[in-house]
Amino acid sequence: MAGSAYQAVETEEEKPPSSGSSQESSLPARFTPEGDSEDDGDDLEDLEAEEGYELRELGESTRSQQRPNGTKEDEAHEDEEDEALNGHKRRRRVSVQSFELYTPTEERRVRRKLDTHLVLFVALLYLLSFLDRSNVGNAKLAGLADDLKLSDDQYEWLLTAFYISYILFEWMTVCYQLFPPHIYISCCVFAWGVLASLQAVMTSFTGLLVLRALLGIGEAAFVGIPFYLSFFFRQDELAFRIGLFISAAPLATSFASSLAWVIVSFGSHTGIASWRLLFLIEGFPACLVAVWAWWWMPDSPQTARWLSTRERKVATLRMRREGEGDNRGMSEKVGSQPSNTPRHKRKFQWKEVLRTLTDKKAYLTAAIFFCCNVAFSSMPVFLPTIVQSMGFSSLSSQGLSAPPFLLSFVVVMVTTLLSDRFKSRSVPMMLHAALAMSGYIFLAIAGSLHFGHTLRYLAVFPICAGFFSLVAIVITWTVNNQPSDEGKGTGMAMLNIIGQMGPLLGTRLYPDADGPYYVKGMSVCAVAMALAGILAFTLRLVLKAENARQRRAWEEAEEEGEALVGSRSQSEPFMYLL
């Protein structure tokens, strides 16, 4: 190792409490890079390829190598040492089990680049997606219904047609593993950009209905982005990144309301109907961004053009532990192809698809998502109409629809950050379900108690903050609950196929005939939020029992001196986040 760019470092946290020389000599060395040059990355690759180096647990391989002819007394003495060190075992395992050859500073730098270059970019794509999906509500107030002479039923069918095709094509989530993501994503973005823009030239209900259905197909193909992000981020890092992605939805809704206010204010001076101008201005930018996506988005950490050679190696190594850790505690190892093989070139594990289809955890998260989508699909579309029914003008309603969604953006960020930090999914979900339910109950009884318009408007804020946060967490939880790429893709498809049936109900909850209080719609959404909280608690109990089972199996195997699923060391079992 004299010519290597890596030096051995012994850290205090890895030393056992006893200071015996025999124990000190048994400690394996940790290797960290001396510099950040790209040559270090080449040394790292050579080190792994030629010497097969990988950090192992303390007190495992090195001791066995040092006592090939050890006596029974030596073994008994070492067993006593193992018992004395038992209290420190888990802490040491955590510190040495991460066998990446890079420094914490390097990892932070890579993670920051992934956040700024990848997560924010897919959030931009989702902002455009949600903008094109939900702007039909603003278009209605801008004159769409009057110009095309749409009835309430026809308007509801415009919303429903989108979600029918959206549901039928949710299976396309697995395509992220079958095709290069940068090609697949950019084609999806270009498709929905063209379709959203063409809505501006429609002159009949039938033509607009067909375009809305096709738009649903284009956006359904894009919905697997949380699965795509799992290629780059670990299990306990995902919630905040998916939160950044999902928070683009309230940001898009608030932006759409503000943009609609501007378009309606000045549309009369352009000679083009305001709703046509709205569809065109909000739809066409996606076509331009699609070209950027083709060039910008990587298929994997190894192909990110905005990372240096060294950073690409660090980004790949930090996910290697995640890939192997995903298989801990499973009955057999899945997804065992080399980690440097692109996902779309690996053999597809159909048995993992079948396993996920029979997994009760996947159905519980899908049921939670169904309840969330009853509100998620209705409030962003109908809020301008609801606000107008409170006594505000059409123009003011467009502007007042933005603040609740801006607050939701901030709340989603804080919620997902805390969810990752405390490694908890169920607790924030139950709290936000209760928050949203309270707001809906308040609005449902507003008519009989004669609440003023201001109080009713303020009740919208906790509702929006609640269900947007629920959506961000339940999507993350779905990815966390599956150990393989095939399972994650299938779980996301199940989540959306079942969960996106919620909009079939949600888009029909606020007909004009129920105004101005919309008691039926508010009551149904209150029940949906209550069910989401109950199901989150149920899933917590299921995962807690599953973790206990995994822990018992691991402890039994450890006592017998056997490694689970043939791994090279007795690593911690795969544990679900509660």
Side-chain angles (χ1 to χ4, degrees):
M1 297 296 292
S4 173
Y6 298 88
Q7 59 181 356
V9 179
E10 289 184 2
T11 58
E12 292 297 326
E13 66 173 351
E14 296 173 2
K15 294 183 179 181
S18 174
S19 59
S21 60
S22 63
Q23 293 177 5
E24 291 178 354
S25 64
S26 69
L27 290 174
R30 286 180 63 194
F31 288 84
T32 58
E34 291 179 344
D36 293 339
S37 68
E38 295 186 0
D39 291 339
D40 291 343
D42 296 332
D43 289 343
L44 180 151
E45 193 174 60
D46 295 339
L47 182 68
E48 289 183 314
E50 296 175 8
E51 301 184 28
Y53 176 78
E54 182 175 292
L55 286 182
R56 288 183 278 243
E57 288 185 28
L58 287 176
E60 239 186 310
S61 305
T62 50
R63 280 209 303 261
S64 62
Q65 293 171 0
Q66 290 175 358
R67 52 176 173 83
N69 301 314
T71 63
K72 291 184 178 180
E73 289 79 11
D74 291 334
E75 293 176 5
H77 180 62
E78 288 178 1
D79 288 339
E80 291 175 5
E81 291 178 349
D82 285 339
E83 268 189 12
L85 295 174
N86 192 47
H88 303 270
K89 192 173 191 179
R90 183 173 300 174
R91 177 172 60 81
R92 289 188 285 106
R93 179 179 294 114
V94 170
S95 66
V96 300
Q97 198 177 45
S98 56
F99 46 79
E100 303 91 349
L101 303 181
Y102 51 81
T103 66
T105 301
E106 284 184 303
E107 182 176 19
R108 283 194 298 269
R109 183 168 62 245
V110 168
R111 193 166 54 233
R112 191 181 308 115
K113 270 197 174 182
L114 289 171
D115 286 338
T116 56
H117 291 66
L118 180 62
V119 179
L120 292 183
F121 185 74
V122 297
L124 170 65
L125 297 181
Y126 189 56
L127 184 147
L128 296 174
S129 167
F130 205 81
L131 197 66
D132 295 338
R133 176 193 315 182
S134 60
N135 60 9
V136 67
N138 299 109
K140 179 186 178 185
L141 287 183
L144 169 67
D146 295 334
D147 288 357
L148 298 188
K149 296 179 174 55
L150 301 179
S151 64
D152 278 352
D153 285 342
Q154 287 178 321
Y155 176 72
E156 288 178 352
W157 270 110
L158 291 179
L159 305 180
T160 305
F162 172 89
Y163 284 106
I164 289 176
S165 59
Y166 195 75
I167 293 167
L168 292 177
F169 286 85
E170 290 293 351
W171 57 268
M172 295 177 73
T173 297
V174 299
C175 292
Y176 282 84
Q177 199 172 347
L178 300 177
F179 304 104
H182 80 280
I183 298 176
Y184 179 72
I185 292 172
S186 56
C187 289
C188 293
V189 177
F190 186 80
W192 90 59
V194 171
L195 293 167
S197 302
L198 287 176
Q199 293 178 108
V201 300
M202 288 298 102
T203 58
S204 67
F205 164 72
T206 303
L208 193 57
L209 183 70
V210 171
L211 280 180
R212 293 290 298 177
L214 293 175
L215 184 64
I217 297 175
E219 297 204 12
F222 177 73
V223 80
I225 285 292
F227 171 45
Y228 171 71
L229 290 179
S230 71
F231 300 171
F232 303 87
F233 295 98
R234 294 173 175 170
Q235 183 189 45
D236 59 354
E237 298 170 345
L238 265 181
F240 180 64
R241 277 77 196 180
I242 292 178
L244 278 169
F245 170 70
I246 294 297
S247 65
L251 197 62
T253 308
S254 61
F255 175 69
S257 298
S258 303
L259 182 60
W261 182 84
V262 173
I263 292 173
V264 171
S265 298
F266 299 100
S268 58
H269 303 293
T270 64
I272 303 174
S274 296
W275 65 270
R276 295 184 185 276
L277 197 59
L278 187 148
F279 279 139
L280 184 61
I281 292 176
E282 295 184 358
F284 184 71
C287 301
L288 302 178
V289 176
V291 179
W292 183 12
W294 181 291
W295 176 81
W296 186 258
M297 299 195 72
D299 296 333
S300 64
Q302 300 101 306
T303 61
R305 64 174 66 246
W306 26 263
L307 293 177
S308 67
T309 302
R310 172 64 184 168
E311 288 169 342
R312 285 197 291 270
K313 287 179 171 144
V314 172
T316 302
L317 285 172
R318 68 188 294 273
M319 292 305 296
R320 184 177 64 176
R321 177 185 171 217
E322 183 80 358
E324 295 192 3
D326 281 346
N327 299 304
R328 296 188 300 239
M330 304 302 294
S331 58
E332 59 180 312
K333 191 173 180 67
V334 296
S336 58
Q337 294 92 335
S339 60
N340 58 349
T341 304
R343 280 175 167 81
H344 61 278
K345 293 184 179 179
R346 300 181 193 176
K347 182 180 178 182
F348 194 82
Q349 302 288 329
W350 287 104
K351 60 185 176 182
E352 282 301 297
V353 174
L354 297 176
R355 183 192 62 78
T356 307
L357 291 174
T358 60
D359 186 359
K360 58 180 176 292
K361 299 186 292 296
Y363 289 97
L364 279 171
T365 50
I368 296 172
F369 197 46
F370 173 91
C371 296
C372 296
N373 269 324
V374 173
F376 187 73
S377 63
S378 57
M379 185 60 75
V381 173
F382 287 102
L383 185 57
T385 303
I386 293 171
V387 173
Q388 186 179 28
S389 72
M390 296 177 182
F392 300 97
S393 68
S394 175
L395 189 60
S396 299
S397 299
Q398 301 280 16
L400 289 173
S401 298
F405 298 116
L406 288 175
L407 175 68
S408 301
F409 171 79
V410 176
V411 173
V412 169
M413 291 292 91
V414 174
T415 299
T416 52
L417 182 62
L418 293 176
S419 177
D420 273 345
R421 179 162 298 179
F422 293 104
K423 295 180 173 58
S424 175
R425 304 290 187 242
S426 58
V427 173
M429 286 198 69
M430 291 185 287
L431 291 176
H432 279 292
L435 185 69
M437 179 189 68
S438 301
Y440 277 119
I441 291 174
F442 184 89
L443 291 180
I445 63 177
S448 58
L449 296 182
H450 304 289
F451 292 134
H453 297 325
T454 302
L455 288 177
R456 290 171 59 202
Y457 175 68
L458 291 176
V460 174
F461 284 80
I463 288 174
C464 294
F467 68 71
F468 275 114
S469 298
L470 283 173
V471 168
I473 297 296
V474 74
I475 291 175
T476 308
W477 217 5
T478 300
V479 177
N480 291 160
N481 284 345
Q482 299 301 330
S484 65
D485 283 343
E486 292 83 0
K488 291 172 183 176
T490 306
M492 283 296 299
M494 293 172 61
L495 177 84
N496 285 288
I497 290 173
I498 297 174
Q500 294 296 350
M501 292 183 183
L504 299 181
L505 171 63
T507 53
R508 295 178 175 272
L509 290 179
Y510 299 98
D512 291 340
D514 288 353
Y517 295 104
Y518 302 98
V519 175
K520 181 184 72 175
M522 302 301 177
S523 301
V524 171
C525 288
V527 172
M529 294 296 98
L531 286 175
I534 293 171
L535 289 170
F537 179 71
T538 302
L539 182 55
R540 177 185 175 88
L541 296 180
V542 170
L543 295 179
K544 193 173 183 179
E546 185 71 14
N547 283 346
R549 185 189 68 79
Q550 296 273 38
R551 174 66 63 180
R552 285 195 301 270
W554 175 73
E555 289 176 349
E556 290 173 2
E558 190 178 48
E559 289 174 1
E560 297 171 2
E562 299 174 356
L564 288 179
V565 294
S567 62
R568 283 169 288 184
S569 62
Q570 293 184 22
S571 57
E572 293 279 356
F574 177 78
M575 305 298 284
Y576 298 102
L577 296 184
L578 303 179

